[in-house]
Amino acid sequence: MKLDTIDRRILRALQRDGRMQNVELAREVGLSPSPCLRRVRLLEEAGVIERYVAVVDGAKVGAGLTLFVRVWFKTQDAAVTAQFAEAVRKLPEVMECYLTTGDCDAVLRVVTTDLNSYWRLQADHLTRIDSVQSVKTDVPLETVKRSYELPMLQA
């Protein structure tokens, strides 16, 4: 789907507030409500808008510790990668997992209650995945920026 300027305005607005009413959205992007709603539906149907979510404050629900975990595999073949991916998908504390080039083979963003809980996750699950050779954990000291809004760059 080719996005135009109005589509990008719609996406910016909905990323800021996914519960925005269509009338308010239409006014913000410069359309009347019917064409605006039609565009939103097209963006949804095309998979540009995957879903709508609530952003929850982790500290207020007992998941306030974020850690970054670097993982090295024993080998780097397709079977090892697939086995690792399947295993981490089952771990609810793993919020994001990226297979990478460079120093390590994967980077995870893990959210948990405290360091002891993370240690249990690492000892009981991460290091027991057959394909994992080693794990190194980085503990951030401060969150400088966290955004859920993708930049609407021109293609």
Side-chain angles (χ1 to χ4, degrees):
M1 177 177 186
K2 181 85 169 135
L3 302 177
D4 65 15
T5 303
I6 293 176
D7 292 327
R8 291 177 190 284
R9 282 189 214 146
I10 289 170
L11 293 171
R12 275 189 213 97
L14 288 176
Q15 285 187 107
R16 277 192 318 276
D17 181 3
R19 293 181 59 166
M20 182 181 291
Q21 297 295 315
N22 184 58
V23 173
E24 181 184 347
L25 177 61
R27 184 174 38 251
E28 184 170 325
V29 301
L31 289 175
S32 59
S34 291
C36 183
L37 184 58
R38 194 167 28 257
R39 280 180 178 256
V40 170
R41 296 291 181 246
L42 287 172
L43 291 165
E44 292 169 347
E45 290 168 10
V48 175
I49 297 174
E50 292 181 17
R51 62 192 165 125
Y52 298 89
V53 299
V55 177
V56 177
D57 184 334
K60 293 180 180 174
V61 295
L65 179 64
T66 297
L67 303 141
F68 298 97
V69 181
R70 293 173 288 138
V71 179
W72 286 262
F73 299 155
K74 291 176 182 171
T75 62
Q76 297 177 344
D77 59 51
V80 163
T81 302
Q83 189 260 347
F84 174 78
E86 181 181 339
V88 297
R89 283 186 190 109
K90 295 176 183 173
L91 300 173
E93 299 91 344
V94 176
M95 304 301 296
E96 296 174 72
C97 174
Y98 300 95
L99 299 176
T100 61
T101 62
D103 185 41
C104 62
D105 297 307
V107 175
L108 313 177
R109 182 172 68 91
V110 173
V111 175
T112 189
T113 56
D114 54 36
L115 283 174
N116 189 54
S117 296
Y118 171 70
W119 182 79
R120 295 282 8 126
L121 173 73
Q122 180 178 321
D124 295 343
H125 299 284
L126 291 177
T127 57
R128 291 188 183 195
I129 299 170
D130 287 338
S131 57
V132 171
Q133 176 180 319
S134 66
V135 171
K136 303 290 183 209
T137 305
D138 295 314
V139 180
L141 298 175
E142 178 181 355
T143 301
V144 175
K145 178 181 178 180
R146 182 175 66 195
S147 176
Y148 300 99
E149 297 177 33
L150 291 174
M152 289 294 108
L153 306 171
Q154 298 299 327

